[in-house]
Each structure stands twice: as C-alpha cells, then as structure tokens.
Amino acid sequence: MMNLEIWLTFVLACSIVLAIPGPTIMLVVSYALGKGRQTAWATVPGVALGDLTAMTVSLAGAGALLAASANAFTVLKLCGAGYLIYLGIKMWREKPGLLEDNPDAKRNRPSRMFLQAYIVTALNPKGIVFFIAFVPQFVNASMPILPQFVIMTATFVSLAAVNVAIWAIMAGALREKFRKPTAMLRLTRAGGAVMIGAGLLTALTRRANAAV
C-alpha cells in the first residue's frame, strides 16, 4: 500500500514541520497557560479533527483553488485571523475570579475548547495549501493513490495530536507553578497576547509563505 522507506521519510518530514509552532500551537499553549492543563486537553481532538478536515479538503482539490485564488485565500485567512484575535481579546479581559481550573464553567467547557481548536485549525489556509503541495511528493504513482492518501492523512493527524498534547503538558506544567490569582491573571493575559499575536501573524501571511 505504501513503501516503508517513503512512509518513514514522510513521518520525519511531518515531525519537522509540526515542530514549528503555528497558530494552532499558540492557541493550545494559550489555553494551557490561561485556563489549565485539563481544559487544554480538550483542544487535542479538536486539532486532530481540524487537521483531518484540512487534509481531506486539500486532497479533494479545494486546496488547489486556495493556491490559485488570491481572493479565496485572503477571505479564509482573515476569517481565521479574526477568530484568533477575538479569542485572544476574550482571554485578556477575563476576570481573576473566573480563572480557576473548573471544567464545568461555561467558558471552560471541553466542548467549547474542542470547537475553538477545530475552527482555528480547519480555517488555516496555510495548512490547506501546504498539504496540497506537500503530500503529493510522497505519492507513488505506480500504486493505488487513495490508500496512500489514507495512510498519510492518518499519520499526519496522529503526529499532530501527539505534538499538541506535548505542548499542552509543558504549558500546563508551567501554570501549575503559579497558583496565586495575580500570577494566574498574568499567565492568562500572556496567553491572550500570544493568541492575538498568532491572529496578526496569520493575517499577514502570504500564499508564497504557506506552511503549517
């Protein structure tokens, strides 16, 4: 179905790409710092599903449209950037009394964290364009294409989930060291600032610089 050597090369390439923090990682780190590790864990499946959506859309051909159309790319990019900035501002404005690690609180519900991570990941046009340029390089044209796409999609999504989980654990461990309300407030605002920065960087991204 897929040559082992090519697959291992694909795994290595994906690992290198995923090691570079992007908007999704900034979102996860922001939540881990501002809301706690338990809350940030809910972003892991959201990121995985978002990457699955982005790869499926890319390999189905929509990625080619984004790569060719400056207007389509810009619209999707600004939607994702605006959403990140909106989330960052909300986090920055949270009051100290609402920063406890309570997963039952409306703002900390896992379903909300999951949905927000999914939207940010799926709306990242850089990722969609990147997939359509990156994945075909590892396809063996002499073998069935669909099984290879399935294997590479499953591989990338799995690696992305592990990568996000590692970042959430590290950022959550940092938060655990600062339990005072004032320190928690600073961490939350730092997380919000990171998220706003990610949104601004996303807004300034050009198609030529597309990356995950």
Side-chain angles (χ1 to χ4, degrees), residues 4 12 27 46 56 66 92 113 117 126 171 181 185 203:
L4 179 60
L12 177 61
L27 173 74
T56 301
L66 286 176
W92 180 275
M113 304 298 103
K126 297 184 299 177
L185 179 61

Side-chain angles (χ1 to χ4, degrees), residues 2-207:
M2 187 172 184
N3 183 278
L4 179 60
E5 183 177 348
I6 294 178
W7 180 77
L8 291 175
T9 303
F10 179 74
V11 170
L12 177 61
C14 289
S15 300
I16 293 173
V17 169
L18 290 169
I20 304 173
T24 297
I25 295 301
M26 291 183 180
L27 173 74
V28 173
V29 170
S30 297
Y31 279 148
L33 289 176
K35 299 176 179 293
R37 188 188 313 178
Q38 296 301 319
T39 298
W41 271 114
T43 63
V44 176
V47 170
L49 185 60
D51 277 325
L52 176 61
T53 300
M55 287 194 75
T56 301
V57 167
S58 298
L59 300 180
L65 173 62
L66 286 176
S69 172
N71 290 335
F73 184 92
T74 300
V75 169
L76 190 58
K77 176 186 69 174
L78 293 179
C79 286
Y83 190 64
L84 276 169
I85 293 172
Y86 164 74
L87 293 177
I89 292 174
K90 283 186 63 178
M91 184 176 290
W92 180 275
R93 297 178 62 184
E94 285 188 342
K95 298 178 181 179
L98 300 176
L99 300 180
E100 296 300 325
D101 302 346
N102 179 10
D104 295 325
K106 183 177 180 180
R107 66 186 60 241
N108 292 342
R109 287 177 183 170
S111 58
R112 289 172 64 93
M113 304 298 103
F114 169 87
L115 181 60
Q116 290 167 357
Y118 171 77
I119 292 174
V120 169
T121 306
L123 286 183
N124 182 5
K126 297 184 299 177
I128 296 176
V129 173
F130 172 80
F131 288 136
I132 199 172
F134 178 71
V135 173
Q137 299 180 43
F138 299 90
V139 173
N140 186 341
S142 64
M143 301 177 68
I145 303 298
L146 183 58
Q148 296 180 71
F149 279 171
V150 171
I151 291 173
M152 286 188 283
T153 299
T155 298
F156 186 90
V157 170
S158 299
L159 291 173
V162 171
N163 181 61
V164 167
I166 292 174
W167 279 99
I169 290 171
M170 292 191 300
L174 177 62
R175 176 185 168 86
E176 292 299 319
K177 296 181 179 180
F178 302 93
R179 302 301 301 173
K180 293 182 179 180
T182 54
M184 292 174 64
L185 179 61
R186 290 172 183 170
L187 285 176
T188 300
R189 289 186 172 176
V194 169
M195 205 178 297
I196 293 172
L200 294 175
L201 287 175
T202 299
L204 296 174
T205 299
R206 299 179 180 178
R207 286 183 299 156

